[in-house]
Amino acid sequence: MNEQPRFFEKKLPRTFSGHHGLAHETGLIFEHGREDVSGVDIDPPKNFKPRLGGLERQSPLGLPGLSEPEALRHYVRLSKQNYAIDSGLYPLGSCTMKHNPRLNEKMARLPGFADIHPLQPLSTVQGALELMAQLAHWLTTLTGTEAVALTPKAGAHGEMCGMMAIKAAIAARGEAATRKIVLAPESAHGTNPATAAALGFSVRPIPAGADGLVHPEAVAAALGPDVAAIMLTNPNTCGLFERDIVEIARLVHEAGAYFYCDGANFNAIVGKVRPGDLGVDAMHINLHKTFSTPHGGGGPGAGPVVLSSRLAPFAPVPFLRRDGDSWALVEEKEGSQSFGRMAAFHGQMGMFVRALTYILSHGGDGLAMASENAVLSANYLRVCLKDVMSSPFAERLCMHEVLFDDQWMKDSGVTVLDFAKAMIDEGIHPMTVYFPLVVHGAMLIEPTESESAAFLEMFVATLRDLAFSVKNGEVERFTGAPYYAPRTRLDETGAARKPVLTYKKPVGEREPPVA
């Protein structure tokens, strides 16, 4: 077989339509829609009398019209430009983009779940409430905690919930005026300090050691009567397990503060470690990261928060309560210590169904195996790539994600961003780049347990080929990438600073052909 020439050595011919084979160019719907076309014909109603009192629109809407086939083609072509976990590996570190089993989707579409309404009488939704109770049981069992709030809609919302419970507990002790500081490691997710600040706390950063871990001495030096809580991620964002977490929890509790754990990386330890046993008082659980519910797409998501016995009395309403043979939702504080309501309704039923389906289909042993496989996959990548890509922790076992840096490409003329763009040409979504900030030129890769050994081997081979290209000085392969994507290298800085948010029809220019 002849070697395929490098793509930057071969200039492809221009096409009149803008299409490239089956890769269709897809413009804005305004560019090929016409105001005089509609995919639906509706006869004017007979004897119609306007009821707007002269306020009817006098000018056309100006919306683009398409025939039914054109509308279908437009959105099908757009869908083909999406990258999804169903089309390839999503190695985003800290995001846990795992497979969403179709069994979950089938269960979520069952009548009684898919068509449930939050205002239905409780007598008509007892099965749904029972499902929520079962999910709550599993979440508290897996985390070793006392209670769970199912209300939060996502991770950041869950953080807010946990920290509001902590704030309420501090207020109940009469220390609201004095405990105004929250400790956050420098490697923390950006939402951690943002959540603390939004609730009126000041954030005191905790430095990480050279080994990427938070040391008890650093925490002890920052503790005092003004500290309300620490917000720690474990495993942390360097992909490492915080080995001193029990000692850190002891110091925090002795100082009268609470321990909030960011649960974004729970997928690495489910069935292996219970955060409650480590001293954690509150932890949000990203159902999409750990229990395979859909990730992204604008939601609605779910971010339940588990609470220790210290914080359980302050959980938000509504919450479940067993009344004889039936379930009830407690909607009011009713004299309890609850901090109150933080959302209109109780969580997101579709996500609850998907998460419980995943849990029941795996069982406790299966959940533990998923954690083991996620950690095994990450360490496989670490070992297979450490001779060509540098890492600050290459010789240490990582958890579910492995962290590389940019030292290996120093003086090559290729940046981390260039490398990530070149991965797009290989049909792979880039890993998380430039995070965590404690490592220069970070490249954080999380394969999850969903990927087969064969797919991981192809991923390794692809990254090794890219790495050898960097070392061989093939700079052009990277600096102009992506070459094969629907759009090539964009001015991302310009787009962020000067976004174009409305469509304006070009003046004096020919409209593009409708394909």
Side-chain angles (χ1 to χ4, degrees):
M1 180 182 293
N2 294 329
E3 182 180 356
Q4 184 179 5
R6 289 289 185 188
F7 49 80
F8 49 77
E9 296 174 355
K10 180 181 179 182
K11 188 174 181 180
L12 297 175
R14 181 185 67 86
T15 60
F16 170 77
S17 63
H19 304 317
H20 298 92
L22 297 180
H24 293 96
E25 169 64 16
T26 305
L28 297 176
I29 197 169
F30 288 94
E31 294 175 331
H32 54 88
R34 290 90 66 206
E35 295 181 21
D36 60 334
V37 174
S38 174
V40 180
D41 294 326
I42 301 178
D43 294 330
K46 296 180 179 179
N47 302 320
F48 174 71
K49 294 181 179 181
R51 290 182 288 179
L52 296 179
L55 298 178
E56 298 88 351
R57 174 179 288 276
Q58 301 299 317
S59 59
L61 282 172
L63 296 178
L66 298 174
S67 67
E68 182 176 331
E70 289 174 331
L72 285 171
R73 287 173 189 158
H74 177 74
Y75 289 106
V76 167
R77 289 175 178 180
L78 285 180
S79 72
K80 291 180 178 179
Q81 294 185 11
N82 289 337
Y83 190 91
I85 194 67
D86 291 341
S87 57
L89 173 67
Y90 239 119
L92 283 170
S94 190
C95 283
T96 314
M97 302 293 287
K98 60 197 290 176
H99 172 63
N100 305 139
R102 293 306 177 266
L103 174 62
N104 301 2
E105 302 303 315
K106 184 176 181 179
M107 295 299 102
R109 285 165 172 75
L110 288 175
F113 293 141
D115 55 2
I116 196 170
H117 193 283
L119 294 179
Q120 283 184 233
L122 292 183
S123 61
T124 68
V125 292
Q126 285 297 304
L129 297 181
E130 174 69 26
L131 182 143
M132 291 163 60
Q134 286 192 34
L135 177 62
H137 166 76
W138 273 94
L139 295 181
T140 53
T141 300
L142 290 168
T143 56
T145 51
E146 180 76 15
V148 59
L150 297 176
T151 306
K153 302 297 185 290
H157 204 211
E159 284 180 26
M160 182 70 74
C161 175
M163 292 303 294
M164 288 175 74
I166 289 173
K167 188 173 184 177
I170 291 172
R173 292 182 350 207
E175 298 179 312
T178 56
R179 293 191 180 269
K180 304 293 290 183
I181 303 296
V182 169
L183 308 182
E186 293 178 344
S187 62
H189 292 121
T191 51
N192 292 175
T195 297
L199 290 174
F201 293 107
S202 297
V203 179
R204 183 177 294 165
I206 303 296
D211 56 1
L213 303 176
V214 175
H215 292 184
E217 306 82 55
V219 175
L223 284 169
D226 58 346
V227 174
I230 187 172
M231 299 182 78
L232 186 73
T233 304
N234 190 37
N236 67 26
T237 47
C238 293
L240 306 173
F241 190 88
E242 293 284 355
R243 62 169 179 256
D244 295 315
I245 187 170
V246 173
E247 175 63 11
I248 291 173
R250 185 187 68 79
L251 293 170
V252 168
H253 291 148
E254 284 187 355
Y258 293 92
F259 193 144
Y260 184 91
C261 182
D262 188 313
N265 297 337
F266 191 43
N267 194 56
I269 60 174
V270 176
K272 307 295 292 185
V273 178
R274 302 196 310 174
D277 296 339
L278 305 176
V280 169
D281 291 307
M283 185 181 83
H284 77 266
I285 302 175
N286 304 81
L287 293 187
H288 55 275
K289 293 186 179 184
T290 307
F291 298 111
S292 78
T293 66
H295 190 153
V305 177
V306 291
L307 301 168
S308 69
S309 58
R310 304 178 187 90
L311 292 180
F314 305 95
V317 294
F319 54 82
L320 285 167
R321 182 175 64 194
R322 186 77 173 178
D323 285 344
D325 295 331
S326 62
W327 289 97
L329 280 176
V330 178
E331 298 281 359
E332 304 295 337
K333 294 175 61 173
E334 298 179 353
S336 72
Q337 292 180 287
S338 170
F339 69 73
R341 181 183 292 273
M342 66 179 305
F345 300 111
H346 200 318
Q348 213 281 350
M349 181 54 62
M351 296 303 168
F352 296 161
V353 175
R354 291 176 175 91
L356 185 61
T357 301
Y358 178 82
I359 291 171
L360 294 179
S361 61
H362 281 69
D365 55 343
L367 294 173
M369 183 179 294
S371 298
E372 293 169 355
N373 288 343
V375 173
L376 178 62
S377 295
N379 280 281
Y380 179 74
L381 298 184
R382 177 183 62 84
V383 172
C384 289
L385 294 171
K386 68 178 184 178
D387 63 323
V388 293
M389 296 171 64
S390 55
S391 169
F393 316 113
E395 300 305 320
R396 293 180 53 190
L397 285 174
C398 60
M399 295 300 289
H400 62 310
E401 54 193 358
V402 56
L403 179 62
F404 297 97
D405 60 26
D406 62 354
Q407 289 301 305
W408 65 277
M409 59 175 70
K410 186 178 181 181
D411 300 325
S412 67
V414 177
T415 67
V416 168
L417 183 63
D418 294 332
F419 191 87
K421 297 293 187 183
M423 289 175 65
I424 297 174
D425 279 330
E426 299 292 341
I428 300 173
H429 195 286
M431 71 285 278
T432 296
V433 296
Y434 300 119
F435 179 81
L437 299 177
V438 293
V439 172
H440 189 275
M443 291 179 280
L444 188 59
I445 302 175
E446 182 179 354
T448 80
E449 75 286 353
S450 304
E451 302 301 332
S452 66
F455 213 103
L456 289 179
E457 288 172 4
M458 177 59 71
F459 179 64
V460 166
T462 301
L463 290 193
R464 291 184 67 87
D465 182 75
L466 289 169
F468 285 131
S469 287
V470 173
K471 296 175 185 293
N472 291 335
E474 298 170 5
V475 177
E476 193 177 351
R477 180 180 183 183
F478 300 89
T479 54
Y483 293 93
Y484 290 135
R487 292 292 179 269
T488 54
R489 184 72 68 99
L490 304 175
D491 180 3
E492 297 178 16
T493 302
R497 292 179 178 176
K498 298 179 180 180
V500 179
L501 302 179
T502 58
Y503 172 73
K504 293 183 180 180
K505 186 175 181 179
V507 178
E509 294 186 17
R510 182 177 67 88
E511 289 285 351
V514 178

